[in-house]
Structure formats: structure tokens, C-alpha cells
Amino acid sequence: MAFSATLSCTVFFNLHKNRSRSSPPPHPPPISRQELRRSRGGSASSRSRSGRIRSFGAMEAATAEVAAAGESGGGMAKVPHVLTVAGSDSGAGAGIQADLKACAARGVYCSTVITAVTAQNTVGVQGVDNVPEEFVAEQLESVLSDMQVDVVKTGMLPSPGIVRILRKSLNKFPVKALVVDPVMVSTSGDVLAGPSVLDVFREELLPLADIVTPNLKEASALLGGRQLETIADMHSAVKLLHQMGPRHVLVKGGDLPGSCDAVDVFFDGERIHDLHAPRVKTRNTHGTGCTLASCIAAELAKGSSMLPAVQVAKRFVENALDYSKEISIGKGPQGPFDHFLMLNRKVHNFGKKIVLDPSDLFLYAVTDSGMNRKWGRSIEDAVKAAIEGGATIIQLREKDAETRNFLEAAKSCMEVCHSRGVPLLINDRIDIALACDADGIHVGQSDMPVRTARTLLGPEKIIGVSCKTPEQAQQAYMDGADYIGSGGIYPTNTKENNLTIGLEGLKAVCLSSKLPVVAIGGIGMSNAHAVMELGLPNLKGVAVVSALFDRECISTEARKLHEVLSGAAPEVK
Ligand SMILES: Nc1ncnc2c1ncn2[C@@H]1O[C@H](COP(=O)(O)OP(=O)(O)OP(=O)(O)O)[C@@H](O)[C@H]1O
Ligand SMILES: Cc1ncc(CO)c(N)n1
Ligand SMILES: [Mg+2]
């Protein structure tokens, strides 16, 4: 019988039926190196033509090939490996799912032995179904007999039997370190491992642990209900827990009442360390404990010693919480956070990420080579002065510059802008934008289409597009532009044959689009106020050329214009 078919039937049977199994399925016994060598070559016929493995015999042969390649130094690299023995959280904030994400984020491979399946979300735990003990044993055997696990991390171990099975597996397959997160109650208050496991935890698991990481409630339960409410209580607790046999103890103070820091107390048997981190104000703390323990395991797997591993893990959690404090997943009181620091961008327009902070459009400075020549300035100096006066974004619009000179200037301007936290866009020249890694481009209606520019630049760059009409504005939104430049508002000499759309035209464009808009064309000190007074919510600022760059002192003009704009529309700042 094909091995894979047997395996999937077993999983289906155990997780979906009600779990009594008459005879265990055939399980591959641990394979000795010699056996592997013997089976090499002999089983080639059990591979399908595509090379996919069809039977256990073939799996053995494939394993042997990999082992042999490793032995002969065939360029194979050992990967740091954590095995998590824990429960599944359907909401994926805690449990196995948090462990997988934490290890992946820390660059460590993570295999999984699932002890229980929970129906869980941001409201709480709606159901728990334990995986049969013999099947937990089978998963342990599968992973540990085959893979070179460095560190085992435990989470939800819902019955004394499972703890004993784990202990046996660890005796048979010793690993470098054991991290025990003694999960008992979820933050929502639901019981994940009852009092029946307390004794076996204390007697059978803690003595094997390199570190145990209880939260306040768990530490209290392990200590027979001792009250833990202050850091001094936590100091006593770590010492008492240490007497139960673990080499290190970390009592986590995520739930310490009335503390503005998140303080954890670490004890190595000799010294106590209070580990402080600023407490992040957020609802998204579901899974912090699992993540912390997995990160510790991951750092140990990479070869770290214990205190640095704990410190790195704590910083990782704090950073991820801070990054995720505004993401919204689920309706309940405790949300998950983002281990990969990728989700915290408001999503709009086909799920495209917003890459532009609309308030950057407030005072948008567009350079002009003719004006710089006239006043004898380098483009970098002009940009520096504009930013000094308060320009919030720069666009390099160099219509007659030679490519090589333009690129050199663009690179210097990038340094100027980035050291001052101001985005830099390039007008039209996508090649220059790519070459100097600018923050984005601005295109006109007859330049490269926004969609093509997006393909070339990728999702993370800003693309602005000039629009005179509501139709163009709607198209810009559909094409995935980040902002609209709308004008000319007033007559201007900077652009020849440019249609003036006036304040009415600007209003029509703003009302027809959800994108932020910057007004352009003939705007200066005398009329900026009138533009912003339109009070349109998506009109975020004005773009100026001559009002800054065709003046003797760019920074003074920028400063005055900034004041005018601030007075006109304090809410857009
Ligand atoms: N708001 C917060 N800001 C910063 N760090 C926090 C915050 N909440 C928890 N932590 C840290 O996260 C880690 C996990 O601690 P916590 O006490 O939350 O564990 P836990 O109760 O086991 O978590 P969970 O059961 O949700 O997985 C600790 O290092 C703790 O200090
Ligand atoms: C499955 C699982 N493990 C651990 C925790 C603790 O956060 C949880 N809520 N769910
Ligand atoms: Mg916990």
C-alpha cells in the first residue's frame, strides 16, 4: 500500500472522526545509516518517471541519497531547526501558527507536532479537540527519526499522557535544548491544559527544560496558586520555579497590573535579570507568549546562549507589536500581530499598498534646470534649500539635462533628501528613477502609462500622474497611481501651451477621485491660500516651481509659503 495514502487516511480518521484507532498504521522504523546505505540503488524502480516518491522504499532511498550527499560534503548546509510541539490556533495568532511564523521570521526551519486543534479567534477559544496520544507519538517519531532537530519548543500539552510521550521521545532522540512554554490558559481566560497536567509538568518536564517561560498566571499555578502581582513577587517566583529543575526561568510580565513597561524576570540559577521593554499600547497581543518562546528556541538553534536569546526574542516581540499596533484582524478584544512586518499599510485600490503619506504633498517642490542655471545653483543646493525652508517632497524635473549628468545629480539629491526624510520623485524619466532608486516618478498624460510604470517600478514606489479632467483622474485611480497632480490652476510660464483649468477644474478633479491631489500651475505666495481654502478633503497641498526656484533665496520663500499654507489649511498638515 502506498505510504502517503495510509498517512492521509490516518490523519483524516483521527481529526475528523472521533478518534479511537484499532490498529496503528505501519510506521517507518528509525533508519540506521547502514540500512540507508544498503537500500541505496536498490529502490530506483520505485520512483515514478517524474521522480516523485511513490512508496516508503523509495523514500528510504531518497533519504539515503540526501544523507550520502551530506556525508560526502556535497555542498549541503545544515539548517537550524526548531520542532514545536503545540496546539493549533485556527485564528493563527498563537500556537503552532505563531511558532511557524516566529521561526520563519528569525530564519530558522520549524517542524510541527500538533497536540490539539483549537477552534479559536480574537474573541476566545470556542472548542478544543486533543489529538490522540498515540498519534502525537507518531508525529514525534516521524520528525525526530528523520530530521536533525536542534531545539524542541513546547506549547499546549493538554494531557499528562502527552507530556510523558514527549519525555520518552526526548530520551530516544536527544536535542540540544528544550524550551518549555507551559501554556495553560489563553489570554481570553479559556483553559488549554487543566490542573491534571500540573504535576507531570513539574515532575517530568521542568527537570528536562533548558528554560521555562510561564506568564504570571502559569507561574502562579505551577507554584500552587501563589499570588504574583509585583516584580518582587516575580523575583521570588523565578527562584522557586528554578528549584523544580529547569536550567533557566523566565517569568513573563505581559499581564503585570499597573506597569507601564513590559517587564520579564529572568533567572539563570545565580543572577536575576529584570528585562524591561516599553509596553506597546495595542489590542494585538494574542500569541506574544508563543512567539517569545519560539524566538528563544530559534536563537538557541542558531547557537546563541540563553540570556542573549531571551533578549533578542523580547526585542522581536516588542518590535512586532509596535509595528502591528494599528492592524485590525477580527472583532474580538485580542488581535494577532504581524511577525513579518508586512501588513501595516492601509490597503486600497486592488489591494495595492499605499506607499505615499498624503501629507507629504503639502509643499511639493519641482526643480527647473533653467532657473537653477539663471541663479547659478547646482540642483543639489536648490533641493537642500527648498527642504531647509520646509518643502515636504521634491520632484526633479530636468527636461534638458544629459542623462549622465542628470543621474549624478539625482544620486546626490537622493542623499540630500533621504538624510532629511523627504521623498524624491523624478519627472518622467523612469530610467533615472530606477538607476538612482528614487522614491518614485511623476508622469504626464503623454508620458509612460501608469500601469507600465508600475510594472517597471514595482508596488513599493510612488507614482503620480498629471490630470486635468475627472476622466483622467478616474483612470489614474484605476491604473494604480498614488496621487494626482492637477493643473494648471493659474496661468504659468513654466509649461508652454498648458491649459489652465482654474479652481473649478481642480475642484472637479478632486471630487472625482479618491486619490490625494496636489494642485500645480502658477501657484505662489499670493494665491496659495485661495487654493487651499477650497477645503477639499483630498487636496493635500500645492506644487511650486518658480515661486521657489526663480527667487533669490529659496529657503526663505519656502518658509513663507509653508506659513501661508499652514494658515490656510491647518488640518492638512
Ligand atoms: N503590550 C506589550 N508591549 C510590549 N511587550 C509585551 C506586551 N505584552 C506582552 N509583551 C511581552 O511579550 C512577551 C510574552 O508575554 P505575555 O505575558 O504576554 O505572555 P503570554 O500571556 O504567555 O502570551 P499569550 O498567551 O498571548 O501567547 C513578554 O516578553 C512580554 O513582556
Ligand atoms: C493553541 C494555543 N496555544 C497557545 C495559546 C496561548 O496563547 C493559545 N491561545 N492557543
Ligand atoms: Mg502564554
Side-chain angles (χ1 to χ4, degrees):
M1 196 192 334
F3 177 69
S4 56
T6 313
L7 186 62
S8 55
C9 290
T10 310
V11 170
F12 182 83
F13 182 75
N14 281 305
L15 297 183
H16 297 264
K17 296 277 179 191
N18 216 2
R19 38 196 114 259
S20 70
R21 204 172 55 206
S22 43
S23 63
H27 192 284
I31 308 154
S32 75
R33 288 242 147 126
Q34 269 171 345
E35 278 170 333
L36 286 174
R37 281 203 201 98
R38 249 184 277 130
S39 69
R40 254 194 108 200
S43 333
S45 60
S46 48
R47 271 177 185 248
S48 70
R49 219 180 279 161
S50 68
R52 204 139 17 101
I53 295 163
R54 283 195 283 111
S55 71
F56 179 59
M59 188 166 92
E60 266 188 323
T63 317
E65 277 167 28
V66 172
E71 275 168 15
S72 63
M76 310 290 282
K78 160 81 180 89
V79 167
H81 187 144
V82 169
L83 162 62
T84 171
V85 183
S88 159
D89 167 6
S90 54
I96 286 279
Q97 289 81 355
D99 299 342
L100 280 168
K101 287 186 273 187
C103 287
R106 300 300 311 159
V108 168
Y109 188 79
C110 181
S111 52
T112 57
V113 165
I114 301 186
T115 56
V117 182
T118 69
Q120 190 172 172
N121 57 21
T122 60
V123 178
V125 179
Q126 290 81 41
V128 177
D129 208 349
N130 293 352
V131 172
E133 287 173 6
E134 65 273 25
F135 199 67
V136 172
E138 231 174 286
Q139 295 176 69
L140 282 164
E141 183 81 21
S142 288
V143 174
L144 290 167
S145 67
D146 172 38
M147 298 173 154
Q148 237 181 300
V149 171
D150 297 299
V151 179
V152 168
K153 176 256 162 190
T154 68
M156 180 175 174
L157 302 175
S159 69
I162 286 182
V163 179
R164 292 200 186 97
I165 282 165
L166 175 64
R167 195 189 153 97
K168 269 194 216 141
S169 294
L170 290 171
N171 278 339
K172 185 168 171 192
F173 300 105
V175 291
K176 283 192 221 152
L178 173 65
V179 175
V180 173
D181 184 21
V183 170
M184 287 171 201
V185 185
S186 75
T187 322
S188 51
D190 302 278
V191 174
L192 298 169
S196 64
V197 292
L198 276 176
D199 283 340
V200 65
F201 250 99
R202 281 189 282 248
E203 283 152 26
E204 306 222 13
L205 201 57
L206 294 197
L208 294 184
D210 290 277
I211 184 165
V212 61
T213 63
N215 62 23
L216 288 173
K217 279 189 210 140
E218 291 153 353
S220 162
L222 286 166
L223 295 171
R226 194 186 170 90
Q227 281 219 323
L228 298 178
E229 283 169 354
T230 62
I231 293 182
D233 295 342
M234 290 164 80
H235 287 181
S236 319
V238 287
K239 288 184 184 159
L240 292 168
L241 288 166
H242 191 260
Q243 287 168 12
M244 294 179 186
R247 292 175 61 199
H248 304 86
V249 179
L250 182 76
V251 172
K252 298 171 295 190
D255 299 324
L256 193 69
S259 111
C260 57
D261 273 4
V263 186
D264 302 343
V265 176
F266 176 82
F267 186 51
D268 57 13
E270 285 181 10
R271 270 194 65 193
I272 288 183
H273 301 258
D274 289 348
L275 308 177
H276 287 256
R279 180 178 295 277
V280 179
K281 282 204 182 74
T282 175
R283 79 184 257 280
N284 299 327
T285 57
H286 179 57
T288 44
C290 307
T291 301
L292 186 83
S294 289
C295 283
I296 295 172
E299 293 310 303
L300 295 176
K302 287 189 246 177
S304 170
S305 54
M306 193 59 82
L307 181 57
V310 172
Q311 286 166 327
V312 165
K314 186 163 172 60
R315 213 170 312 124
F316 177 84
V317 171
E318 181 211 330
N319 193 33
L321 289 181
D322 187 52
Y323 176 86
S324 313
K325 59 184 177 233
E326 279 146 16
I327 66 173
S328 170
I329 299 171
K331 302 187 201 81
Q334 229 210 356
F337 59 93
D338 175 17
H339 296 69
F340 297 106
L341 317 183
M342 306 271 279
L343 300 174
N344 185 14
R345 312 235 183 125
K346 289 164 195 138
V347 170
H348 77 133
N349 201 9
F350 316 121
K352 192 177 77 59
K353 289 165 184 167
I354 291 181
V355 290
L356 171 74
D357 178 350
S359 67
D360 286 342
L361 299 176
F362 189 62
L363 178 45
Y364 185 135
V366 184
T367 66
D368 182 285
S369 32
M371 290 174 198
N372 284 338
R373 247 194 323 274
K374 173 175 159 192
W375 291 94
R377 297 171 182 132
S378 73
I379 172 168
E380 297 92 304
D381 286 343
V383 166
K384 240 184 242 172
I387 296 175
E388 201 182 300
T392 52
I393 191 165
I394 302 290
Q395 182 196 127
L396 300 187
R397 184 167 174 272
E398 299 293 310
K399 290 284 178 194
D400 50 8
E402 296 200 3
T403 298
R404 187 168 298 205
N405 293 340
F406 188 9
L407 179 57
E408 284 315 307
K411 283 182 183 167
S412 319
C413 289
M414 274 297 286
E415 277 173 32
V416 169
C417 287
H418 275 207
S419 62
R420 292 158 176 81
V422 170
L424 178 80
L425 309 180
I426 307 289
N427 184 287
D428 188 14
R429 293 286 302 267
I430 198 160
D431 55 338
I432 299 285
L434 285 165
C436 75
D437 196 24
D439 297 291
I441 58 163
H442 184 91
V443 290
Q445 289 292 325
S446 50
D447 296 335
M448 185 178 288
V450 171
R451 276 174 197 264
T452 315
R454 177 64 71 202
T455 310
L456 291 170
L457 286 176
E460 310 271 307
K461 297 288 185 190
I462 300 168
I463 301 182
V465 60
S466 300
C467 298
K468 289 184 185 294
T469 65
E471 292 71 31
Q472 289 174 351
Q474 281 153 11
Q475 191 64 45
Y477 178 74
M478 288 193 292
D479 290 344
D482 298 294
Y483 76 91
I484 287 170
S486 189
I489 309 301
Y490 301 108
T492 166
N493 300 327
T494 319
K495 218 171 169 186
E496 278 168 30
N497 305 323
N498 190 31
L499 178 76
T500 300
I501 62 168
L503 292 178
E504 279 311 303
L506 172 65
K507 201 168 163 185
V509 165
C510 287
L511 293 175
S512 68
S513 181
K514 295 176 193 165
L515 290 177
V517 177
V518 60
I520 187 163
I523 302 175
M525 219 68 71
S526 61
N527 53 20
H529 192 266
V531 174
M532 295 315 291
E533 251 189 357
L534 286 176
L536 299 159
N538 57 337
L539 178 59
K540 298 297 179 187
V542 300
V544 288
V545 190
S546 352
L548 298 187
F549 296 110
D550 202 10
R551 299 285 187 278
E552 188 166 2
C553 182
I554 296 171
S555 60
T556 307
E557 298 303 316
R559 207 165 286 124
K560 283 198 273 180
L561 195 52
H562 202 286
E563 270 168 31
V564 169
L565 291 169
S566 303
E571 75 278 10
V572 288
K573 264 195 94 177

